[in-house]
C-alpha cells in the first residue's frame, strides 16, 4: 500500500512545476511524515526517490531495497486553486501540493489510508554519469575504507566483503551503480541500504551524499593492498588447540566419526573440515588482501519447494533442497606453526550473531 501511495504522491509533486524554476531542478525525497500533527506521527528519513519533470511529464527513479532501480515517465495534468496545487484525481477531498520558496522544498499533503506529508529538496548537479563504467572497474579492482576504518571490497557479482562482522554493511548487502539525469549513484541494497549520490571522483577516492533530514557526506577512500601473511603457511593439516576436548552428545549406535577437536586439512582449493560429528569438503578462496578465508558451504533448506520437484513427486509437500551460503573466516594471525581465525559462531548452535576465535596448531605431514 505504501508503494501505491508514493506513486500517487509523485504525481502530486509535478503540479507545481511552473513556479520558481521548479522544472529545471533535480529533486531528492528527504523524508516522509506519517500521521502528521497526531500522537502517531512517524518520520522516515532517507532518499530512495529522485525526481525531475518537464512541461507535461514527470521523470522519476525509485531504488528498491532488492537492488532494483525503476525509472518511469508519467504524463501529468495541472489544476490550480488559491495558493495550493490540486492534483486532478477522483477524490472527494483532493490531495494538495505546494512549493515553499522560503525553504526551497517541495511538499505534498495527502490522504491515503492515513495523512502523509512527503518532502523533497533540490539536489546539486555533478554530471558524473558518463564515468559509470570507469567507476565500476575501479570499485571492483581496488580496495576502499568507509567510515575511516571499515574496509570494503566490491565484487563483480554485486556482493560486498567487509573486514568486520555484524557491521552496518555485510555480505547480505548488494551493490550496483545507477544513473539518472546525468547523475551517478552508488546503491546498497538491504534493510539498512542507502543511495549515495556521487559528488566527486578523485585519486583519493569516491565521495558522495546520502540525502535525508540531515544530509550525510561519506568518502570511499582508496587504500593500497596490504599482504600480511605467507599463504604457503596456510596449507597443511591443523588441529584445534583446546585445554579440554569438546563434550559431544552420545549418538547411540550411530558410527559417525567424532571430532572433539576441530580439524582442518587445507589444500589449494578445498578444506577438509571435521567439526563435532560433521565432516565436509569445502571450497574456499581469499579476498584481495588475503586475510579473509571465504568458504562456500551447502546447507539443507527443508522449507524450499520447487515446482519441478513437486511435479516429480506429484505432491505439494515441503521437500529437502540444498542451498549455499558464503562463510567468512578472518585470519588474525598465521605462521608456520599456528593459525588464529575469527568467525561467527555456527548458526546451528543457535547462539545468534556472536563471534569466536579459534586457535589451530599445524600437524606434521
Amino acid at each position: 500500500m505504501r508503494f501505491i501511495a508514493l506513486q500517487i504522491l509523485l504525481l502530486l509533486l509535478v503540479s507545481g512545476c511552473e513556479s520558481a524554476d521548479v522544472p529545471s531542478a533535480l529533486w531528492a525525497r528527504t523524508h516522509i511524515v506519517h500521521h502528521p500533527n497526531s500522537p502517531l506521527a512517524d518520520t522516515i528519513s532517507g532518499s530512495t526517490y529522485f525526481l525531475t519533470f518537464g512541461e507535461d511529464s514527470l521523470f522519476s527513479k525509485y531504488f528498491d531495497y532488492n537492488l532494483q532501480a525503476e525509472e518511469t515517465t508519467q504524463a501529468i495534468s495541472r489544476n490550480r486553486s488559491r495558493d495550493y496545487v490540486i492534483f486532478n484525481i477522483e477524490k472527494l477531498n483532493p490531495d494538495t501540493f505546494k512549493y515553499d520558496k522560503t525553504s526551497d522544498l517541495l511538499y505534498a499533503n495527502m490522504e491515503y489510508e492515513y495523512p502523509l506529508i512527503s518532502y523533497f529538496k533540490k539536489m546539486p548537479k555533478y554530471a558524473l554519469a558518463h564515468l559509470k563504467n570507469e567507476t565500476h572497474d575501479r570499485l571492483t579492482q581496488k580496495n576502499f575504507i568507509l567510515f575511516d576504518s571499515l574496509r570494503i571490497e566490491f565484487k563483480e557479482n554485486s556482493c560486498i566483503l567487509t573486514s568486520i562482522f555484524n557491521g552496518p554493511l555485510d555480505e547480505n548487502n548488494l551493490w550496483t551503480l545507477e544513473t539518472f539525469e546525468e547523475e551517478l549513484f552508488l546503491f546498497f541494497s538491504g534493510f539498512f541500504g542507502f543511495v549515495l549520490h556521487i559528488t566527486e571522483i578523485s585519486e583519493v577516492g569516491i565521495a558522495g551524499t546520502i540525502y535525508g533530514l540531515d544530509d550525510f557526506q561519506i568518502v570511499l577512500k582508496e587504500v593500497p593492498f596490504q599482504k600480511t601473511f605467507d599463504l604457503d603457511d596456510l596449507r597443511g593439516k591443523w588441529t584445534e588447540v583446546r585445554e579440554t576436548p569438546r563434550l559431544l552428545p552420545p549418538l547411540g549406535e550411530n558410527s559417525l566419526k567424532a571430532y572433539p577437536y576441530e580439524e582442518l586439512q587445507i589444500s589449494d582449493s578445498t578444506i577438509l573440515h571435521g567439526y563435532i560429528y560433521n565432516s565436509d569438503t569445502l571450497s574456499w578462496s581469499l579476498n584481495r588482501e588475503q586475510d579473509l578465508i571465504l568458504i562456500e558451504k551447502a546447507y539443507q533448506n527443508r522449507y524450499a519447494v520447487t515446482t519441478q520437484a513437486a511435479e516429480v513427486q506429484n505432491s505439494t509437500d515441503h521437500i529437502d533442497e540444498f542451498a549455499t551460503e558464503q562463510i567468512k573466516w578472518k585470519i588474525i594471525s598465521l605462521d608456520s606453526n599456528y593459525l588464529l581465525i575469527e568467525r561467527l559462531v555456527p548458526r546451528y548452535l543457535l547462539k545468534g550473531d556472536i563471534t569466536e576465535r579459534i586457535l589451530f596448531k599445524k600437524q606434521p605431514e
Side-chain angles (χ1 to χ4, degrees), residues 146-161:
L146 183 63
F147 309 130
D148 296 325
S149 60
L150 177 61
R151 189 155 48 83
I152 181 170
E153 293 183 16
F154 295 85
K155 310 295 286 185
E156 286 281 2
N157 62 358
S158 296
C159 294
I160 64 172
L161 287 175

Side-chain angles (χ1 to χ4, degrees), residues 304-363:
V305 177
T306 63
T307 302
Q308 182 180 7
E311 290 175 351
V312 170
Q313 294 191 358
N314 193 26
S315 170
T316 58
D317 293 339
H318 286 149
I319 61 174
D320 291 346
E321 190 175 77
F322 282 90
T324 59
E325 64 177 342
Q326 182 172 269
I327 298 173
K328 180 172 62 179
W329 292 356
K330 185 175 182 178
I331 301 174
I332 303 301
S333 63
L334 171 65
D335 58 31
S336 59
N337 294 310
Y338 290 96
L339 166 65
L340 178 62
I341 66 169
E342 182 179 23
R343 67 187 181 192
L344 289 175
V345 173
R347 61 194 182 109
Y348 51 80
L349 295 183
L350 303 178
K351 292 185 179 180
D353 292 337
I354 302 173
T355 60
E356 62 180 359
R357 289 192 174 189
I358 306 294
L359 179 64
F360 294 91
K361 183 176 182 179
K362 180 169 281 189
Q363 302 302 310

Side-chain angles (χ1 to χ4, degrees), residues 86-334:
I86 301 175
F87 183 68
N88 190 19
I89 59 177
E90 296 178 357
K91 292 182 65 175
L92 180 62
N93 298 307
D95 300 320
T96 61
F97 165 79
K98 188 174 182 180
Y99 171 59
D100 187 340
K101 296 181 181 179
T102 303
S103 63
D104 203 19
L105 291 176
L106 294 168
Y107 64 93
N109 291 276
M110 63 178 300
E111 290 279 346
Y112 193 85
E113 296 184 347
Y114 54 82
L116 179 150
I117 303 177
S118 187
Y119 295 84
F120 288 74
K121 68 179 293 184
K122 285 183 180 179
M123 297 167 51
K125 296 180 180 181
Y126 301 94
L128 297 176
H130 65 287
L131 297 178
K132 178 181 178 180
N133 292 337
E134 177 183 324
T135 304
H136 177 276
D137 292 343
R138 184 177 181 185
L139 287 172
T140 54
Q141 294 172 14
K142 304 294 184 179
N143 280 358
F144 297 86
I145 57 172
L146 183 63
F147 309 130
D148 296 325
S149 60
L150 177 61
R151 189 155 48 83
I152 181 170
E153 293 183 16
F154 295 85
K155 310 295 286 185
E156 286 281 2
N157 62 358
S158 296
C159 294
I160 64 172
L161 287 175
T162 62
S163 56
I164 63 173
F165 300 93
N166 305 321
L169 292 173
D170 57 29
E171 285 66 36
N172 293 319
N173 293 95
L174 299 175
W175 72 279
T176 186
L177 282 172
E178 294 286 342
T179 62
F180 180 59
E181 295 292 316
E182 304 303 322
E183 300 303 306
L184 184 59
F185 300 87
L186 176 58
F187 175 37
F188 292 90
S189 72
F191 185 77
F192 294 105
F194 57 87
V195 180
L196 179 70
H197 181 201
I198 295 179
T199 60
E200 183 181 6
I201 300 173
S202 67
E203 293 182 358
V204 174
I206 299 171
T209 301
I210 302 171
Y211 297 105
L213 274 169
D214 296 307
D215 294 346
F216 188 44
Q217 315 295 327
I218 67 173
V219 177
L220 285 164
K221 183 179 179 181
E222 185 176 327
V223 293
F225 291 105
Q226 296 179 349
K227 186 176 179 180
T228 308
F229 309 109
D230 185 348
L231 294 184
D232 290 335
D233 290 334
L234 190 59
R235 300 172 182 87
K237 184 176 180 179
W238 301 86
T239 300
E240 179 184 8
V241 177
R242 297 176 60 92
E243 291 185 0
T244 58
R246 186 178 281 106
L247 295 177
L248 303 180
L251 287 181
E253 297 180 357
N254 198 314
S255 60
L256 290 175
K257 181 179 178 179
Y259 294 93
Y261 298 91
E262 187 171 352
E263 295 182 7
L264 307 175
Q265 178 72 50
I266 303 177
S267 66
D268 288 340
S269 60
T270 62
I271 298 176
L272 299 180
H273 183 218
Y275 186 70
I276 305 180
Y277 289 111
N278 298 309
S279 179
D280 296 311
T281 300
L282 309 173
S283 299
W284 70 281
S285 60
L286 292 167
N287 63 330
R288 296 192 194 113
E289 293 200 343
Q290 300 184 347
D291 64 346
L292 295 176
I293 300 174
L294 309 172
I295 298 172
E296 297 295 328
K297 183 175 178 61
Y299 66 94
Q300 195 172 35
N301 182 0
R302 302 184 62 88
Y303 299 95
V305 177
T306 63
T307 302
Q308 182 180 7
E311 290 175 351
V312 170
Q313 294 191 358
N314 193 26
S315 170
T316 58
D317 293 339
H318 286 149
I319 61 174
D320 291 346
E321 190 175 77
F322 282 90
T324 59
E325 64 177 342
Q326 182 172 269
I327 298 173
K328 180 172 62 179
W329 292 356
K330 185 175 182 178
I331 301 174
I332 303 301
S333 63
L334 171 65

